[in-house]
Amino acid sequence: MKKTLLFLTCGLASFTTGCLHPKIGPQALPRDRSQYSVSLADSWKDLTLLNIVKVRYLDPPVYVDIGNIVSSYTLTQNATAGGTINPPGTGSNAILGGSVSFSNTPTITFTPLTGSAYIKGLTTPLSTASVFGAIRDGVPADSILLSSVQSINGLRNQQVGLNGIRPADPEFHRVRELLRDIQLSGLVRLYVKEDASKQQSTLMAFRRENIPPEMQAESAELRRLLHLNPDATEFKLVAAPLPSSDTEVAIVTRSIFGILASMASEVEVPAEHIAQHRAIPGFESGRTLPDIVPMIRIHSAKNKPDDSFVTVYYRYTWFWIDDGDLASKRSFMQLMQLFTMADTGPKENLPVVTIPSR
C-alpha cells in the first residue's frame, strides 16, 4: 500500500507538471513572442490613427513608446497522499490530493516622447536623403512625394490650413507621375558622393544609354518642369525652397507632424463637428477641386465597424480604415515607416511609467 501511494503521488505530480509545462520555459517563447509582437503592432497602429484624428481637432498628438516588457512566470504545485491500513479483512482506504497553480505577471514600461526627442521626431522635417532613399528602396515615388514633400524646385504640393486644403501646382502632380515612371524603368539611381572637403552629397543620376524613346520623352519633360540642365546626367539633392543652379533639385520636406496634418484633413468627421468649429475644414471642402489628390480615407460613424484594418474611438465616434482599402493602408504603412526613419537622436533620461499587467 505504501508503495502504491508513493507511485500515485509521484504520478500525480508528474501529470500536473506535464500538463502545464508548455506554458513556461523554452516552449513558451515562440508563442509569447509572436503574441507580444501582434499586440505591439496593433497598439502602434491604434496610436497612429488616434493621433491623425486628434490633429483634425487641433488636439496635440502624443506618442508613448514601450520600453521594456518583462514577463514573469510562476508555477506552484503540491501533492498529498494518505491512507489507513487496517488488519486483514477489515478493509483499508487511501486518500490522494494535489493542486497546481500557474501565473504570468508581465510588467510593461512606457516612455513618453517629450522634449527634444519630440521635436526631432515629430516637428523636424524629414531629411531629403531619407525620402529619396525610400524611393531608391522601392517605395512608390508618387505616393511618398505626395505625403512627404512640400515643394520640389519651387513646385508646391497641396497644403493644409485652418481654412481647408490649398491645391497643389498642377506641375507638381505631373512630376510625381514622371518620377514614378522613371523609377519603374530603372532609368534613375540615387547615391551618396563625397567632395574634396569630405562633405557628403546625395545625387540623382540619369542613365543616358539604351533608353526607350518613351522614357527619353518623359526624362526630357521632367527636366523641363524642374528647370534642370537638359544635358547634365547628375543632379544634387538639396534641402532648400529653390535651387541655386540648373543641376540642383531643391526639396522642402514635411515633418511627421506635417504628414499627420495632411492625413488628418482627409478624416471624415461628423458634420456637426465642422459646424460647431470643433474640427478644422478638410477634404470635404475641397473635394470638387481638380488638383486635390487624396492620400488616405478614414471613415467615421457612431457604431463600431465590423471589418476594419485599424479602429479607434474618439469623441464618442468610431474612426477606421477599411481593410479592403489598399491605397489607404499603404499610405498609413508609409507614415509608420517614415516615423521609424525620423532621427530622434540619442535616448535621453525620459520619465517612465511602469505598469504591472494583470
Side-chain angles (χ1 to χ4, degrees):
M1 176 63 71
K2 290 183 177 179
K3 291 182 178 180
T4 302
L5 290 176
L6 178 60
F7 174 78
L8 292 174
T9 302
C10 293
L12 178 62
S14 300
F15 174 76
T16 54
T17 303
C19 290
L20 288 176
H21 185 65
K23 295 185 178 180
I24 61 175
Q27 290 83 352
L29 182 59
R31 181 195 66 244
D32 289 356
R33 185 173 185 176
S34 62
Q35 290 178 351
Y36 277 121
S37 175
V38 171
S39 296
L40 285 171
D42 289 343
S43 67
W44 189 20
K45 286 164 51 180
D46 293 347
L47 183 59
T48 300
L49 179 58
L50 176 61
N51 281 327
I52 293 175
V53 175
K54 288 173 63 178
V55 170
R56 181 68 185 268
Y57 289 85
L58 297 183
D59 194 356
V62 176
Y63 278 90
V64 178
D65 289 335
I66 296 179
N68 294 287
I69 299 176
V70 179
S71 192
S72 175
Y73 302 92
T74 302
L75 174 64
T76 303
Q77 60 182 353
N78 62 71
T80 61
T84 302
I85 301 177
N86 297 320
T90 60
S92 301
N93 60 72
I95 300 175
L96 293 177
S99 64
V100 177
S101 63
F102 172 77
S103 65
N104 177 16
T105 55
T107 300
I108 304 174
T109 301
F110 297 92
T111 305
L113 188 63
T114 59
S116 62
Y118 183 94
I119 295 173
K120 293 179 181 179
L122 289 183
T123 63
T124 300
L126 297 167
S127 69
T128 302
S130 296
V131 174
F132 278 79
I135 296 175
R136 177 197 59 204
D137 295 337
V139 176
D142 55 342
S143 176
I144 197 169
L145 290 178
L146 178 64
S147 64
S148 307
V149 172
Q150 188 167 317
S151 70
I152 179 168
N153 271 22
L155 299 179
R156 300 178 304 174
N157 192 2
Q158 56 195 34
Q159 187 68 29
V160 176
L162 292 179
N163 297 322
I165 305 176
R166 184 194 66 194
D169 294 331
E171 295 86 355
F172 180 87
H173 293 310
R174 181 55 181 163
V175 166
R176 291 193 306 110
E177 296 172 357
L178 291 171
L179 279 175
R180 176 55 176 165
D181 291 343
I182 292 172
Q183 178 191 27
L184 292 174
S185 71
L187 178 65
V188 66
R189 68 187 182 97
L190 300 169
Y191 61 96
V192 177
K193 184 178 181 180
E194 284 188 352
D195 58 20
S197 60
K198 300 297 181 181
Q199 296 293 323
Q200 291 186 343
S201 300
T202 302
L203 301 177
M204 181 172 63
F206 287 86
R207 185 160 53 89
R208 299 299 296 265
E209 67 280 354
N210 301 323
I211 306 300
E214 63 274 11
M215 295 311 304
Q216 291 182 9
E218 291 200 352
S219 176
E221 182 182 2
L222 178 65
R223 294 166 187 258
R224 178 180 59 81
L225 291 174
L226 296 179
H227 305 286
L228 298 176
N229 189 319
D231 299 320
T233 58
E234 283 188 349
F235 300 94
K236 184 178 180 181
L237 301 178
V238 297
L242 296 171
S244 60
S245 69
D246 61 1
T247 58
E248 282 189 351
V249 179
I251 301 160
V252 177
T253 60
R254 289 173 172 160
S255 64
I256 294 297
F257 184 83
I259 301 175
L260 288 174
S262 296
M263 290 187 174
S265 66
E266 300 178 28
V267 175
E268 296 178 359
V269 299
E272 60 270 21
H273 291 182
I274 298 294
Q276 297 166 356
H277 304 289
R278 299 181 184 274
I280 61 175
F283 190 76
E284 293 81 6
S285 64
R287 189 176 295 275
T288 58
L289 297 177
D291 292 327
I292 298 294
V293 178
M295 285 191 295
I296 193 170
R297 186 173 184 184
I298 300 173
H299 304 272
S300 68
K302 293 300 180 181
N303 298 322
K304 187 176 182 179
D306 295 329
D307 185 25
S308 64
F309 173 66
V310 56
T311 306
V312 294
Y313 189 67
Y314 179 75
R315 289 180 179 250
Y316 307 105
T317 305
W318 289 100
F319 297 89
W320 75 92
I321 296 174
D322 280 339
D323 197 29
D325 187 350
L326 295 180
S328 294
K329 289 167 65 174
R330 183 183 67 176
S331 297
F332 189 79
M333 179 186 68
Q334 285 181 6
L335 170 62
M336 298 177 71
Q337 290 175 335
L338 289 170
F339 187 80
T340 62
M341 292 165 57
D343 182 15
T344 56
K347 296 295 183 181
E348 303 175 0
N349 294 324
L350 300 176
V352 299
V353 180
T354 302
I355 302 176
S357 177
R358 300 298 181 188

